[in-house]
Amino acid sequence: MKILSFLINKMRMTGIYQPVIIKHLLLKGGTCSVNELANTLTKYDAGVIEYYEKIVMRYPKQTLTKHGVVEYDRKEKSFKLLDMPSTKAELKESLDICDEKINEWLHNREMENDPDATPSLRYEVLRKAKGKCELCGIPSSLAPLEVDHIVPRSTAKNGLVKKDGKMIPLNSEENLQALCFRCNRAKRDSDSTDFRTRKKLVRDNIPAMIEAEGRIPHVKELTGKNLWSALCDKLVEEHAEFLEDGDVSELGDMIEVITALAEQKGVTQQELLAIVEEKRMKNGGFERGYFYAGDKQ
Ligand SMILES: [Zn+2]
């Protein structure tokens, strides 16, 4: 494909991505690593830039002005290095030291702080989670899972956090859980809910079956709002299981949960089936596979 013809006639944009990537490839003589392209995209993300502008103004500005290394010009909104090296050799040495310090920091972070970067720990957390998000249950085959600190890093002192009344290392397995990208983003930084010990709704006969095995189940009977929200969570859990293995029995579980939800709304199973039938008569089912993509002009 001729690049001009693509740019002028063919390119349909759903985001800024295509022109940014093509522009960068053009500037770099045609070849570029994925990492470099990803970096370039972040430069167009207003949210990311705003975030780092705040960071620049908060930490480096304070510390570097205090030590007389930089000066901040309010009017120009710019930084000025007060002792700009006057020789090439001094400039090169300064740059080399910066690189060295940056790499040292990144390396240490990888080794000690970032659970995602410590392969064996990451493996252990994902294995215990059975490869599923511990909040919504989505399997790792459908959404990338991240290893999340239960008690957040921001509350750590000397690498220790307080969990259930005792101090434990920030990066100990006890303080790590597997969450999908979406759940992890939705979780606020101040939230320290341990989703691994999440209790769940079970079918009515399960407690008796556990007792028959000689175990003593810890069971609480939910009603009202609590039952409603547990049923909603259950539907998501069954849906995630269905997405994972496509097993029809999982659809049966979903119908059971849906029936229970209807009952909570005062609608019997018969009445629910009547609603299903009525809708089918009026609007049809999904047998044809019609996929509607808006109106043609
Ligand atoms: Zn999730």
Side-chain angles (χ1 to χ4, degrees), residues 76-134:
E76 297 290 322
K77 290 196 170 151
S78 63
F79 279 59
K80 185 173 194 254
L81 198 60
L82 290 171
D83 176 37
M84 186 65 195
S86 51
T87 66
K88 271 190 180 168
E90 199 190 334
L91 176 63
K92 187 182 179 302
E93 193 185 351
S94 305
L95 284 171
D96 286 347
I97 295 172
C98 285
D99 277 339
E100 202 178 293
K101 298 277 180 185
I102 290 168
N103 289 331
E104 197 181 306
W105 174 269
L106 291 175
H107 179 74
N108 286 342
R109 198 184 119 119
E110 247 175 57
M111 299 313 287
E112 289 162 21
N113 289 321
D114 193 348
D116 259 335
T118 316
S120 62
L121 195 54
R122 180 181 156 79
Y123 173 81
E124 201 44 37
V125 171
L126 295 181
R127 188 185 67 80
K128 285 219 167 125
K130 301 190 176 71
K132 292 178 192 175
C133 170
E134 295 185 89

Side-chain angles (χ1 to χ4, degrees), residues 133-138 145 179-184:
C133 170
E134 295 185 89
L135 177 51
C136 74
I138 198 166
L145 296 183
L179 293 182
C180 74
F181 184 80
R182 200 177 291 174
C183 288
N184 205 7

Side-chain angles (χ1 to χ4, degrees), residues 5-6 31 38 51 62 70 81 92 107-108 111 130 143 145 154-156 163 169 171 198 232-233 246 254 282:
S5 142
F6 177 77
T31 324
Y51 173 77
Q62 265 184 23
V70 302
L81 198 60
K92 187 182 179 302
H107 179 74
N108 286 342
M111 299 313 287
K130 301 190 176 71
L145 296 183
S154 56
T155 69
K163 183 163 189 289
N171 288 309
R198 201 168 55 118
C232 290
D233 284 351
M254 285 173 76
K282 189 167 167 245

Side-chain angles (χ1 to χ4, degrees), residues 50-242:
E50 204 179 298
Y51 173 77
Y52 280 106
E53 281 179 354
K54 276 188 195 146
I55 299 263
V56 169
M57 291 304 285
R58 201 180 309 158
Y59 308 108
K61 178 179 163 254
Q62 265 184 23
T63 314
L64 294 176
T65 47
K66 194 175 81 187
H67 290 288
V69 178
V70 302
E71 197 177 65
Y72 177 66
D73 186 330
R74 277 169 196 271
K75 227 170 107 196
E76 297 290 322
K77 290 196 170 151
S78 63
F79 279 59
K80 185 173 194 254
L81 198 60
L82 290 171
D83 176 37
M84 186 65 195
S86 51
T87 66
K88 271 190 180 168
E90 199 190 334
L91 176 63
K92 187 182 179 302
E93 193 185 351
S94 305
L95 284 171
D96 286 347
I97 295 172
C98 285
D99 277 339
E100 202 178 293
K101 298 277 180 185
I102 290 168
N103 289 331
E104 197 181 306
W105 174 269
L106 291 175
H107 179 74
N108 286 342
R109 198 184 119 119
E110 247 175 57
M111 299 313 287
E112 289 162 21
N113 289 321
D114 193 348
D116 259 335
T118 316
S120 62
L121 195 54
R122 180 181 156 79
Y123 173 81
E124 201 44 37
V125 171
L126 295 181
R127 188 185 67 80
K128 285 219 167 125
K130 301 190 176 71
K132 292 178 192 175
C133 170
E134 295 185 89
L135 177 51
C136 74
I138 198 166
S140 59
S141 55
L142 295 171
L145 296 183
E146 298 174 340
V147 174
D148 169 63
H149 290 116
I150 296 168
V151 179
R153 182 195 299 272
S154 56
T155 69
K157 283 206 182 81
N158 303 320
L160 297 175
V161 290
K162 194 172 188 179
K163 183 163 189 289
D164 305 324
K166 59 176 182 165
M167 301 305 286
I168 56 165
L170 173 71
N171 288 309
S172 57
E173 225 184 282
E174 266 179 281
N175 192 41
L176 297 170
Q177 63 189 350
L179 293 182
C180 74
F181 184 80
R182 200 177 291 174
C183 288
N184 205 7
R185 289 299 164 276
K187 195 189 123 168
R188 279 168 301 120
D189 189 45
S190 57
D191 184 0
S192 53
T193 311
D194 187 342
F195 292 108
R196 299 169 312 167
T197 55
R198 201 168 55 118
K199 298 134 189 120
K200 61 175 185 176
L201 204 63
V202 293
R203 284 177 180 264
D204 295 347
N205 296 342
I206 301 294
M209 287 158 77
I210 293 173
E211 275 169 17
E213 281 177 20
R215 291 186 288 153
I216 305 162
H218 186 64
V219 183
K220 194 168 131 189
E221 280 187 53
L222 301 181
T223 53
K225 256 193 207 163
N226 292 334
L227 177 55
W228 177 262
S229 110
L231 281 166
C232 290
D233 284 351
K234 193 73 188 171
L235 188 58
V236 173
E237 182 194 322
E238 300 296 0
H239 178 236
E241 278 173 16
F242 174 69

